[in-house]
Amino acid sequence: MAAEVAGKSQESARMDGLAARLAREITGDVLFDPFSRGRYATDASFYQIVPAGVVVPRSMDEALLSLAIARDEGVKVTPRGGGTSQCGQTVNDGLVVDLSKHLNRILSLDVESRTCVVEPGIVLDDLNRQLRKHGLWFPVDVSTASRATIGGMAGNNSCGGRSLRYGTMRDNTLSMEAALADGTLSRFGEVSRDLSEIDASDSARALFRDMLDLGTREADEIAARFPQVQRRVGGYNLDALVPRNAPNNIAHLLVGSEGTLAFTTKVELKLWPVIRNKALGICHFGSFYEAMDAAQHLVKLKPIAVELVDRTMLALGRDIAMFRPIISAAIKGDPDAVLVVEFAEEDQADNLLRLKQLGELMGDLGFGWTNDKRKWGGVVEITEPALQGGIADFRAAGLNVMMSMKQEGKPVSFVEDCAVPLPHLADYTARLNEVFAKHGTSGTMYAHASEGCLHVRPVLNLKLEKDVKAMRAIAEEAFAMVREYKGSHSGEHGDGLVRSEFHEAMFGERLVADFKEVKTRFDPDGVLNPGKIVDAPKMDDRSLFRFKPGYRVTDLKTKLDWSAYPGAGGGFQGAVEMCNNNGACRKLEGGVMCPSYRATRNEKDVTRGRANTLRLAISGQLGAGALSSDEMMETLKLCVSCKACRHECPTGVDMAKMKIEVLAARTASHGLTLRDRLVGYLPRYAGLASRFAPLANFRNRSPLLRKLFERFAGISARRALPAFRSDVFVPPAASVGPPTGREVVLFADTFNRIYERENLDAALRVLTAGGYRVHLPKPANGSRPLCCGRTFLSAGLVDEARSELDRLVAAFAPFAARGVPIVGLEPSCLLTLRDELASLRKDDDARAVGAHALTFEEFLVREAEAGRLQLPLGAIADKAVVHGHCHQKSFGAFKPVEQVLRLVPGLAVETIESSCCGMAGAFGYGADTYDASIEMAELSLLPAVRRADQATLVVADGTSCRHQIHDGTEREALHVARVLAMSLDRAKTKSTTPPATKEPSHG
C-alpha cells in the first residue's frame, strides 16, 4: 500500500512538472485541473479515459513543442480535433493536444488545379464555406461536418454519404506534412518506387524505403486478406505501399492511422466543383428486407448516394420539433424503411430524367402503392431545395436521433459500420437482427445503403454487466458474419478501442504483425496515441467505459420535474446523460447553438462540455460538492440560457433547464450574491423604483456609482442599465376593445411594463384595431402586477418563481378554460408558460395556460390563416432587418414574426442569420461576462445592423436584444407590435390603402 501511494505521489509530481513546463514554454491554454481533464475524457463513443492534461496551442510550433515536452517527460500524446470519434480514437491517459481552436486556417488555395492546403484543426463546414465562393468544395461530407476537423477526418479515413461518387478521405488526400514522435518533420506524398525524385532527410528516406519494401514483401498477403469493398477503413492502409499501386502515396498510410504514426501539421486536399443541382427520390418500402435487397439495383442509375432511414429513426424524428415538418412533407404512409436516392448531375434535366427512371425501376422491381406490405412502396420526388436541405440535415443527424431515446438503454456503437458487398446486404441485415433478438435486444439501422455500410446499433444499457456481455457476443457473431461475406468490420468509423482487438480475425496474424511493424518503425517508443489499431485493450474492458463498474449517482433533491427521464434526482441523471458527445453544439454557423462556444471556441463553453461536467459532478467523479462548486459555476458562466440546445441538440439536451437546477443547488449551499438579488427580485421592487425613477437611474449618470456597482454587485461599469420610468404601463381597464370582439388575454410582462410601455400600448392598439376584446387580468390577491418568474429562475430561486407562476395561473386559468388565447410580447416571459411552467406544476390549470400561451405574432398569424384578421395597414418603409429572439427560435415561434411583418405593404423582410444577441437578460450586464456578450453580438448581429441603411427598420422582439443592438450600434430596434402600430397610423393618413386581409406569406 505504501509503495502504491508513493507511486501515485511520484506520478502526480511528474504531471505537475509537465504542467508547469508547458505553462512556461507555450502561450496557449494549459489545462490540468480535474474539471478540464474530465471534459476531454470522452468522445462520441461509450469510453471515458481521463487524460493527464490538455494543451490548446496557439500555433503549430507550440503544438510541436508540446509534443516534444511530453516526449521528454515520458508522457504519451493524443492529437484531437472535434472529439466526435465513435470508437474511442481521441481518448487516452496522456496529454491531449486540441488543434481545433487556433489551428484552423486554409494555408493555400489553387482554384485552377482544385487543391488546397489546410491546418488540421479546420472544420469541414468552415472549409467549405470559404471554398464555396470559388465554386469548389471538399466532398467527404460526413454527418458531423459542422464540427469534424480535417485532421480528424484524415486520421479516421472518413467517408461521408457521397463516397459512391467522390471516394473516401484517402481518395481526396494528396499529401500531408507531419512530425514523427521524435520531432522529425517530413512531407508525406506520392513517391516512385526508387524514391529518386523526393527531397527528404536521410531518416525520412529510410522510413519510406522500409515501408515500400514492406509493401513489396506483403503484396500477395494484402491482396488475399484486405476486404475488396470501398468502405474498408480498418488497420493501416498497407495496400497503399504495394507495387501495383505505384507511384505510391505515403500519405495514404497516415490516412486512417488514428494519430498513432505521426502528428499532422498540414493536409493537401483534392477539391471538386460544388453541386449545383439535385433531385431526391424517397423510395418507400413496406419491408426492410426488400429495401436492402433493392439497393443493389438502385445504384445502377448512378446516384451519388443511397441512404437508408428505418422505421425507428422515422418515429424518433417525428418526436423532434426541428425534424417533424420535414418527415411529414417527405414520407408517405407508414414505411418500414426508405432509401433516399440522390442525383446531382450538372444538368437538372438529367437529374429529373433519372428521377423518372427511378420510379420506373421501382415498378419493375414489383413495388406499388397499392401492393401488400412486402411489395408496398413507391417514390416521393423531392426537387424543392429547402426540403432537400431539411432531409439532408435529418439524415446527417441520424446517429444522434437514434440516441434520443429517453431510457437507460441506448443504441450502442460497436458493430456500427460494418460494410458488406451489396448483393449480401439484405441477408446480412436479416441475420444481424436475428443475432440481436438472440441476445434479447433489437437494433436501429440507417445510412449508406449504396455501399453496403449501415449504421447499426443494438439497444443496450452498458451500466449492466449482462448487457456488456451481450455486446461482446454480438460483436463476435457480427464480425464473423462480415468475414463470411468478405466485407470489412470497419466501414467508416475506424478502429479505436472498439475494433482494434479484432484485427487478427479480420486480417490474419501475418498482417497484424505488419501493422505492429509499421507502428514500431514510425513510433518506436509508443508516444503517439497508443492502444489504437495495435496493442489494443479488450473492447469490453469496463474500466475504460464512461459508465464504469460502480458508477452511480446518489439521489439528488431537484426543484424541477425531470420525470421524462430515468435515474436519480427524479430523472435529472437521465437528462444529463442524454449527451452522447456528438458535438452538434460545436457548429459555428446555422441555428443558434451554442453562442458561447462560437465566441470562445472553448470546450468548457459548449453544451457538450457542460453536460460532461454535470455528469462527472453528479456521479462523484469531481469530488464532494462539485455540483454547486465555484468550478461548476465557472463551467456554466457563459451559458446564456438561450435554449437553442433544447431545439437543436439531436438528443435534446436542455442545458438552460439544467442550469436552473444547478443555480438552485448553488443558492441553497452558498446563498445569493448582491447581483442575484438585484436581478432575481426585480419584479418585486420595480414598482417602488419607478416611483423614484430619477434617483433609481442616477447610477447610469454617475461614473462613481458605475464603478461601485461593478465592484460590489458585479454589474459592468461599461453598461447603462435599463432606465426606470415613472409612467409605467397600467391597464386602462380590465378589458378593452369591442365588447363583442373575439377574446384574447394580453400578458403585460415586467420588462415591457416598466421599461418599454410603448410596446404594450402598441399591442393594445393593434389588437383592438383588429376587433379583439383584450383582457388584462389582475392578480386575485394584492396589487403587484403578474410576473412569469423568469428573473427568479435566472438566480436559482425556483420556489420564488413557482410562487409568481401560481399567481399568474390563478389569474389566467379561467380564460384558458374558455379557450381564450394568452398573448405576450416578451418571448422569454411568454414562453416560460410553455416551458418552465410545465416543470413546476403538473395540474390541469397549468397545462391549460401553457397550451393557450402564444407570442403576439403566433396569435396574429393564426388569426390571419383563419381569415379573421382585419387590419388596415399602410406602407412605412421599404425594408426591415429582423433579429430573432433565441427562445422564439427554440420553440419554432420565429417564422410567424417574418410572416406578420410581411403584412405591412411594400415591406421587404430580411432575417439576420444570428445566434444569441449576447445580452441574454442579465448576462450582458455582468462585469465578468460583458466581453463575451459583445463577442457573441459581433459574430453576426451587430455587423448586420451596421450594414443596414438608416431608412431600414431594425426589428427585435426581445427586450435584451433591443438593448444590445442599441448599445452596440446606437440604432433603435422595434418590437413587431410597434411596427404594426406605425403601419396603422400610416393607413389612417392614407385612407385609400386597402385593409390587409391576406394570409401571411410562408415564403
Side-chain angles (χ1 to χ4, degrees), residues 334-643:
D334 184 29
D336 206 35
V338 299
L339 293 177
V340 181
V341 183
E342 181 177 15
F343 301 104
E345 303 306 313
E346 185 68 23
D347 186 352
Q348 183 69 345
D350 194 358
N351 294 325
L352 297 178
L353 175 62
R354 295 187 192 213
L355 204 55
K356 179 182 177 184
Q357 292 171 339
L358 179 66
E360 293 170 350
L361 178 57
M362 286 286 286
D364 293 343
L365 292 173
F367 297 99
W369 295 116
T370 59
N371 293 354
D372 61 15
K373 182 175 177 61
R374 190 177 73 84
K375 284 292 184 177
W376 175 87
V379 180
V380 172
E381 298 182 355
I382 307 292
T383 57
E384 180 192 353
L387 184 53
Q388 290 177 351
I391 293 167
D393 289 343
F394 176 58
R395 179 179 60 79
L399 284 175
N400 307 308
V401 170
M402 295 298 191
M403 297 298 289
S404 65
M405 296 179 178
K406 296 177 180 178
Q407 61 187 45
E408 290 278 14
K410 295 285 194 299
V412 179
S413 171
F414 61 99
V415 291
E416 166 75 20
D417 56 321
C418 299
V420 299
L422 269 182
H424 301 304
L425 185 59
D427 287 339
Y428 167 67
T429 53
R431 290 176 64 187
L432 198 57
N433 278 322
E434 291 174 2
V435 170
F436 295 163
K438 170 184 172 183
H439 294 284
T441 187
S442 60
T444 61
M445 299 187 186
Y446 85 103
H448 317 302
S450 57
E451 294 173 327
C453 177
L454 297 185
H455 293 319
V456 180
R457 291 189 171 198
V459 177
L460 298 166
N461 178 5
L462 295 189
K463 296 174 184 174
L464 304 178
E465 180 65 25
K466 70 178 184 64
D467 280 20
V468 174
K469 290 180 177 178
M471 178 178 71
R472 177 87 198 184
I474 290 170
E476 292 176 349
E477 293 177 45
F479 294 157
M481 265 195 289
V482 170
R483 293 192 297 274
E484 178 185 334
Y485 290 122
K486 300 188 184 304
S488 170
H489 70 184
S490 182
E492 181 170 30
H493 292 150
D495 300 322
L497 298 169
V498 169
R499 279 187 279 264
S500 294
E501 71 155 295
F502 295 100
H503 281 338
E504 189 165 313
M506 172 60 64
F507 295 103
E509 183 178 343
R510 182 169 168 179
L511 285 181
V512 168
D514 292 335
F515 292 164
K516 291 182 179 180
E517 181 181 336
V518 170
K519 169 66 174 175
T520 301
R521 183 65 181 83
F522 271 81
D523 179 22
D525 297 322
V527 172
L528 294 170
N529 204 23
K532 319 301 189 311
I533 301 182
V534 301
D535 299 320
K538 294 291 186 182
M539 61 91 75
D540 54 342
D541 180 350
R542 292 189 68 191
S543 70
L544 305 178
F545 281 20
R546 188 179 305 173
F547 304 122
K548 303 181 190 319
Y551 175 93
R552 68 185 291 267
V553 175
T554 56
D555 203 27
L556 304 162
K557 291 184 179 179
T558 51
K559 293 284 189 177
L560 304 176
D561 176 52
W562 300 96
S563 59
Y565 303 91
F572 181 64
Q573 173 188 354
V576 170
E577 292 173 357
M578 286 299 292
C579 179
N580 71 334
N581 286 272
N582 65 77
C585 42
R586 287 171 62 98
K587 64 183 178 182
L588 300 174
E589 285 193 15
V592 179
M593 180 177 71
C594 177
S596 52
Y597 176 74
R598 294 182 184 189
T600 72
R601 304 286 184 93
N602 291 329
E603 185 70 19
K604 172 177 71 70
D605 300 320
V606 73
T607 304
R608 177 179 75 177
R610 296 174 183 126
N612 274 324
T613 308
L614 282 172
R615 176 178 52 78
L616 293 167
I618 63 176
S619 59
Q621 296 179 68
L622 294 175
L627 187 64
S628 59
S629 66
D630 291 345
E631 293 87 349
M632 181 61 73
M633 297 312 297
E634 184 65 23
T635 300
L636 292 174
K637 183 170 76 174
L638 298 190
C639 173
V640 292
S641 298
C642 64
K643 302 190 182 184

Side-chain angles (χ1 to χ4, degrees), residues 882-889 894 911-912 914-915 917 955-956 961:
V882 191
H883 165 71
H885 189 285
C886 297
H887 295 184
Q888 286 175 323
K889 295 171 184 174
F894 177 64
T911 297
I912 299 172
S914 53
S915 181
C917 73
V955 182
C961 307

Side-chain angles (χ1 to χ4, degrees), residues 157-428:
N157 193 10
S158 296
C159 300
R162 297 182 174 97
S163 60
L164 186 64
R165 170 162 299 182
Y166 296 108
T168 67
M169 191 74 193
R170 171 180 172 177
D171 300 315
N172 291 280
T173 299
L174 300 175
S175 71
M176 299 171 73
E177 184 182 278
L180 300 182
D182 66 4
T184 303
L185 193 63
S186 299
R187 182 183 182 275
F188 297 78
E190 196 170 90
V191 298
S192 61
R193 296 298 295 183
D194 63 6
L195 302 177
S196 58
E197 80 298 347
I198 70 165
D199 179 16
S201 65
D202 290 343
S203 61
R205 183 180 291 271
L207 174 64
F208 296 169
R209 178 75 274 151
D210 289 348
M211 292 300 101
L212 293 176
D213 288 347
L214 184 150
T216 300
R217 185 186 80 217
E218 300 295 348
D220 291 342
E221 186 73 4
I222 291 167
R225 295 303 300 254
F226 269 39
Q228 299 303 304
V229 291
Q230 184 191 31
R231 292 291 189 119
R232 180 201 59 74
V233 301
Y236 293 126
N237 290 323
L238 302 185
D239 55 329
L241 306 173
V242 300
R244 64 181 170 82
N245 286 334
N248 302 94
N249 194 324
I250 305 294
H252 293 174
L253 187 60
L254 299 187
V255 173
S257 65
E258 302 185 358
T260 63
L261 299 182
F263 192 103
T264 303
T265 60
K266 297 177 184 177
V267 187
E268 183 184 12
L269 303 172
K270 176 183 178 183
L271 306 177
W272 295 70
V274 295
I275 294 175
R276 300 194 182 279
N277 294 300
K278 285 193 296 186
L280 300 185
I282 313 298
C283 297
H284 290 54
F285 299 89
S287 159
F288 183 89
Y289 183 91
E290 293 292 339
M292 296 299 91
D293 189 56
Q296 61 186 307
H297 304 292
L298 302 186
V299 297
K300 294 174 183 177
L301 294 176
K302 297 187 177 179
I304 67 168
V306 180
E307 298 287 290
L308 165 70
V309 180
D310 77 350
R311 172 184 293 278
T312 301
M313 184 172 165
L314 288 173
L316 292 169
R318 288 188 180 100
D319 289 336
I320 298 173
M322 67 187 297
F323 296 132
R324 191 176 302 118
I326 296 165
I327 295 172
S328 297
I331 302 302
K332 180 176 180 177
D334 184 29
D336 206 35
V338 299
L339 293 177
V340 181
V341 183
E342 181 177 15
F343 301 104
E345 303 306 313
E346 185 68 23
D347 186 352
Q348 183 69 345
D350 194 358
N351 294 325
L352 297 178
L353 175 62
R354 295 187 192 213
L355 204 55
K356 179 182 177 184
Q357 292 171 339
L358 179 66
E360 293 170 350
L361 178 57
M362 286 286 286
D364 293 343
L365 292 173
F367 297 99
W369 295 116
T370 59
N371 293 354
D372 61 15
K373 182 175 177 61
R374 190 177 73 84
K375 284 292 184 177
W376 175 87
V379 180
V380 172
E381 298 182 355
I382 307 292
T383 57
E384 180 192 353
L387 184 53
Q388 290 177 351
I391 293 167
D393 289 343
F394 176 58
R395 179 179 60 79
L399 284 175
N400 307 308
V401 170
M402 295 298 191
M403 297 298 289
S404 65
M405 296 179 178
K406 296 177 180 178
Q407 61 187 45
E408 290 278 14
K410 295 285 194 299
V412 179
S413 171
F414 61 99
V415 291
E416 166 75 20
D417 56 321
C418 299
V420 299
L422 269 182
H424 301 304
L425 185 59
D427 287 339
Y428 167 67

Side-chain angles (χ1 to χ4, degrees), residues 62 94 303 331 349 440 770 856 865 884 914 962:
E62 285 195 347
I331 302 302
F856 180 68
E865 290 177 341
S914 53
R962 292 191 294 274

